[in-house]
């Protein structure tokens, strides 16, 4: 595995919460890299540090020690504004719930990262993304007028619209029924295959993990295994 | 149950403190205004009274009180001292060589004595002919201090130069006493003010004995009052003055109260809205609706009580500070807190909070228990139907009342109905504010959606997210601003009305000679003096008296204005609406009077035995009144009122030179004359603006509160916004813009309502059509510009808070 092949990389990443009795080591010297153009699933039991890992490599939180890179940018030491720009321009996010701004309609939510960057929307690419998530007739709707599955798909479209280096999804299907889950996962999968997108997805659901190219297992803040998955099989 | 609520309160100190701040500020400003009105009233009431007199003897008839009477009174048993008080014409020349208009010169001079009438502020009493003591306000007006030389005028108009040896403040007894400006030593006083005493003050211990002895000694025809009687009179008069002051100020306390109510109610509503999930959880684990409702009300009562206590204390402090800061001349400032002040404070704090909480408590209790499970727990939305219907009804009633009374013929009843209609309309706007918020802000939002950046879009959308909340916040601002704008509109309309009236009557190059004492009558001998000034082309000296006249066999009364026939069209140019302005052929009558008394052009009038035809009708005028007659036809009595002499042709410098030796006479140009009319108005408006500031300040805190609580409410959204790439400064900017939108909306509402309210007010006052108003451009621009500044300032803290939102805490799935 070469560095150029990694979209995101972490070296000896450690995250400690609290002090004294309340001290929790959420990440314990994690070395990991997520490859370009692949869908990587991070799996592990609840409390194993999956979200923490994602937050630290996505520039949402700062590690206690160790390093993390997105592409060739090292995150540790970046100021808040620089981290924010990085998230805006090079990272896409899908959270478990509450992904969207309630006052913006679907289209405005999708294009929000571009709006914030003051960039023009690439209409052709936007069409591709919107058709892929199947939201063309819902673009004028507010989040409150959309179902949970539709809301998550809007979040996915938003994550992709800026053609980021990597999309992070933290339990994106956690609040969805199985049908909507399958739709969403299918969509993430296609974004990797058809658009060459890099996706890192946190999940504890084996069904979800089965959409991945590669699965990284975490337990007690450490990587316990890393394996190729049988793509597309459930 | 209560414990659960109290725990929840403790868990969210931020929200609780915001609510407390709203209550504290609302209460504090109301209490402060109350304390200021109490104190101002007491200050006016207590001001400069004295109670050291045993009795006062005065002669209401023409009998003179002289040294002989004084000596007889002094010799009475029990009388320790008898002081005859001389009161006469005296006034002090100011730095500009003219008399000031603060003091009534007719009663401006008195004799110095060692009684409690005078309290020396500095220096000593006058002892010889060249010395005077001055009342401190008079001294301050003239810019004189101990040691300076003062020019003092008495009745003969000749200025005497004297040395100021003392500055005093004056104490009054009884109701009719006026504070003099100048005190002379006894001999000088007798020489300048005459020998007849205005009254004689008797000092001693037994008031009734002295009074009855005085009555007995002088016989009837003299008025004898005991010191106690005078004190009662004085107190009554002072109380009346104090009541006027109090009522005036309390009106403003009421306005502050209204604004405070909005802010408190709105804050509490938000507080409850934010705890929906908590209530749902309580309901889910078995709390009954009534229990939730009671707990919320109990919480409101506790918050209200705590807030009111702090607010009352703060308000009293604020009131004290205001009384300390207010500039006063001489009067000892009394700081008074009546029991009503804290009572009103508690009433406002507790009652308003509980009433505001009641609606919220009901809705809080109505939360479905399942709401606890959803991610987006929200209160059931309140319908705006009732409010909108009520608003529309009020608006229609208001409009009907205003339109029905919009005609030019106004009676007091019509004025009252018109004013009530305008206020009802104002209330209606408050009721309709949520609807208006949507009506105004949705188009703005559309525009911003198409044109604006993501940040502006979010800001505007957030502002209209809860129209009720935005409306309540903006309404609080609107209350103060509407009144400021309304008064400014009245002021501007009155000013332009007066300006218009004077500018039509008085040509731009006409000069005006009048009394230094504003509109006091001047001597008719001045007219000849003016005429003698070189270059004078025409002189108008409208001299007014009230007289009887006969028209078609019936008798009427009206003002008769005697005027030089040749001045019309030259020194004065009144608008002639019918006929000719030729006083040599007959008289002129004002159109309004002609209409009222049924006089037409060509009718003959008999005035004081002289019969003349009506040759012209003149329009509305500030200078000519009633029936204008030729001065040679009906020479006026020398005691008639002559307010000013209007001169054309002469130069300003020539006139100034002619009256350089007359401190009691000033020469003005037209602009100066206008200022005489408008300056008092501007001063009154300035005071009104200052008093309305409290309401505006409360409302500004309301904006801060709304924003801060909204920011708390949107923690998650802000987290997402930050996660997908909004920098801290963008978050700050979006809160700031939201704040500016809300404040500007309040400003627009306030200015709009204020102008209409002002239109009705000026119509009610001067009878001009409602839309014949003058928009006070500076105040309007200031109000709108000010609201933008207010928006930015109010957002400072909430925006910082929003920018500090912890992204992870916000997006964590809880
Ligand atoms: N803000 C925090 N403060 C303290 N401990 C935390 C915090 N966030 C996470 N943890 C702890 O860190 C560990 C890893 O958490 P997390 O990464 O959320 O696990 P996962 O996403 O795998 O369920 C857990 O033990 C959790 O309790
Ligand atoms: Mg997690």
């Amino acid at each position: 595995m070469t560095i150029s092949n990694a979209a995101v990389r972490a070296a000896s990443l450690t995250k400690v919460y609290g002090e004294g009795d309340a001290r929790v080591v959420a990440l314990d010297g994690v070395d990991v890299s997520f490859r370009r153009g692949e869908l990587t699933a991070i799996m592990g039991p609840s409390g194993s540090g999956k979200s923490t890992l994602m937050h630290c490599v996505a520039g949402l939180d700062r590690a206690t020690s160790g390093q993390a890179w997105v592409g060739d940018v090292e995150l540790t030491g970046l100021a808040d504004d620089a981290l924010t720009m990085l998230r805006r321009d090079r990272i896409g996010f899908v959270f478990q719930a509450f992904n969207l701004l309630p006052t913006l309609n679907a289209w405005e939510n999708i294009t929000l990262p571009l709006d914030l960057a003051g960039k023009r929307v690439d209409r052709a690419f936007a069409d591709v993304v919107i058709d892929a998530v199947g939201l063309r007739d819902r673009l004028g709707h507010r989040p409150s007028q959309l179902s949970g599955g539709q809301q998550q798909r809007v979040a996915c479209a938003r994550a992709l619209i800026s053609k980021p280096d990597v999309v992070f999804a933290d339990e994106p299907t956690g609040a969805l029924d199985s049908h909507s889950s399958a739709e969403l996962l299918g969509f993430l999968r296609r974004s990797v295959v058809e658009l060459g997108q890099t996706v890192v997805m946190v999940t504890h659901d084996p069904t979800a993990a089965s959409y991945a190219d590669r699965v990284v297992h975490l337990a007690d803040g450490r990587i316990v295994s890393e394996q190729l998955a049988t793509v597309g099989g459930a | 149950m209560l414990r659960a609520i109290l725990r929840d309160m403790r868990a969210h100190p931020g929200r609780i403190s915001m609510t407390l701040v709203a209550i504290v500020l609302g209460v504090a400003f109301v209490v402060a205004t109350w304390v200021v009105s109490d104190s101002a009233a007491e200050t006016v009431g207590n001001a400069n009274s004295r109670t050291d007199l045993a009795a006062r003897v005065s002669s209401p008839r023409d009998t003179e009180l002289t040294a002989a009477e004084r000596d007889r009174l002094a010799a009475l048993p029990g009388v320790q001292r008898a002081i005859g008080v001389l009161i006469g014409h005296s006034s002090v020349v100011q730095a500009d060589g003219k008399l000031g208009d603060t003091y009534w010169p007719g009663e401006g001079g008195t004799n110095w004595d060692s009684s409690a009438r005078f309290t020396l502020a500095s220096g000593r009493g006058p002892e010889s002919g060249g010395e005077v003591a001055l009342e401190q306000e008079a001294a301050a007006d003239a810019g004189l201090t101990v040691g300076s030389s003062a020019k003092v005028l008495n009745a003969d108009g000749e200025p005497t130069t004297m040395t100021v040896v003392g500055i005093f403040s004056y104490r009054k007894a009884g109701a009719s006493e006026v504070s003099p400006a100048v005190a002379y030593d006894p001999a000088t006083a007798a020489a300048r003010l005459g020998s007849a005493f205005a009254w004689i003050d008797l000092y001693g211990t037994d008031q009734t004995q002295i009074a009855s002895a005085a009555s007995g000694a002088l016989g009837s025809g003299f008025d004898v009052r005991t010191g106690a009687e005078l004190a009662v009179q004085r107190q009554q008069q002072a109380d009346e003055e104090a009541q006027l002051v109090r009522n005036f100020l309390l009106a403003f306390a009421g306005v502050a109260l209204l604004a405070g109510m909005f802010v408190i109610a709105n804050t509490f509503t938000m507080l409850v809205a934010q705890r929906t999930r908590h209530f749902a959880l309580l309901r889910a684990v078995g709390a009954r609706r009534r229990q939730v409702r009671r707990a919320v009300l109990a919480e409101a009562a506790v918050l209200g009580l705590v807030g009111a206590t702090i607010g009352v204390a703060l308000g009293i402090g604020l009131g004290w500070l205001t009384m300390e800061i207010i500039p006063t001349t001489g009067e000892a400032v009394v700081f008074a807190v009546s029991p009503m002040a804290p009572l009103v404070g508690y009433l406002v704090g507790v009652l308003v909070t509980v009433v505001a909480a009641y609606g919220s408590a009901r809705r809080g209790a109505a939360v479905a228990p399942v709401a606890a499970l959803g991610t987006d727990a929200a209160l059931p939305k309140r319908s705006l139907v009732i409010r909108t219907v009520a608003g529309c009804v009020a608006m229609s009633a208001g409009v009907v009342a205003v339109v029905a009374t919009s005609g030019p013929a106004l009676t007091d009843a019509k004025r009252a109905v018109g004013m009530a209609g305008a206020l009802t309309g104002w209330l209606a706007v408050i009721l309709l504010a949520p609807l208006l918020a949507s009506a105004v802000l949705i188009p703005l939002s559309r525009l911003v959606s198409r044109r604006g950046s993501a940040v502006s879009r979010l800001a505007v959308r957030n502002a209209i997210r809860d129209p009720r909340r935005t409306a309540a916040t903006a309404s609080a601002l609107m209350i103060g601003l509407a009144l400021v704008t309304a008064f400014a509109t009245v002021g501007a309309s009155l000013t332009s009305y007066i300006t218009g009236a004077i500018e039509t009557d008085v040509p731009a190059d006409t000069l005006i000679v009048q009394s230094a004492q504003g509109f006091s009558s001047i001597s008719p001998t001045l007219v000849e003096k003016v005429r003698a000034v070189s270059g004078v082309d025409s002189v108008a000296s409208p001299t007014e008296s009230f007289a009887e006249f006969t028209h078609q066999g019936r008798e009427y009364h009206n003002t008769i204005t005697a005027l030089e026939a040749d001045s019309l069209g030259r020194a004065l140019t009144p608008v002639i609406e019918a006929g000719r302005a030729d006083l040599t052929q007959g008289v002129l009558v004002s159109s309004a009077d002609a209409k009222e008394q049924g006089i037409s052009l060509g009718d003959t009038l008999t005035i004081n035995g002289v019969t003349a035809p009506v040759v012209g009708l003149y329009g509305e005028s500030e200078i000519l009144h009633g029936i204008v007659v030729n001065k040679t036809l009906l020479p006026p009595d020398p005691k008639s009122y002559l307010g000013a002499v209007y001169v054309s042709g002469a130069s300003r410098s020539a006139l100034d030179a002619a009256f350089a030796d007359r401190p009691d006479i000033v020469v003005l140009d037209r602009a100066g004359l206008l200022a005489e009319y408008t300056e008092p108005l501007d001063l009154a408006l300035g005071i009104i603006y200052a008093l309305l500031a409290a309401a505006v300040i409360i409302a500004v805190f309301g904006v801060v509160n709304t924003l801060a609580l909204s920011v708390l409410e949107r923690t998650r959204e802000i987290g997402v916004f930050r996660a997908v790439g909004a920098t801290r400064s963008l978050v700050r900017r979006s809160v700031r813009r939201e704040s500016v939108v809300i404040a500007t909306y309040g400003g627009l509402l306030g200015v709009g309502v204020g102008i209409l309210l002002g239109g009705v007010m000026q119509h009610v006052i001067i009878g001009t059509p409602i839309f014949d108003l003058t928009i006070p451009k500076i105040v309007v621009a200031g109000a709108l510009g000010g609201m933008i500044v207010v928006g930015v300032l109010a957002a400072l803290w909430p925006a910082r808070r929003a920018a500090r939102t912890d992204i992870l805490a916000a997006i964590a799935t809880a």
Side-chain angles (χ1 to χ4, degrees), chain B residues 121-139:
Chain B
S122 62
R124 58 176 172 82
E127 286 163 6
S128 68
E131 298 177 350
V132 281
L134 299 180
E135 199 279 332
Q136 50 189 357
E137 204 173 334

Side-chain angles (χ1 to χ4, degrees), chain A residues 37 39 186-197 213 231:
Chain A
L39 198 168
F187 170 67
L188 281 177
R189 178 75 226 150
R190 267 190 291 141
S191 75
V192 172
V193 175
E194 290 169 18
L195 306 174
Q197 185 64 56
D213 296 296
V231 175

Side-chain angles (χ1 to χ4, degrees), chain A residues 61 80 87 99 103 108 115, chain B residues 457 461 720 722-723 808:
Chain A
D61 200 1
D80 185 75
R87 288 199 302 270
N99 268 295
T103 49
E108 289 161 344
D115 259 357
Chain B
R457 201 182 298 158
R461 299 243 180 108
V720 170
R722 291 272 288 125
L808 289 178

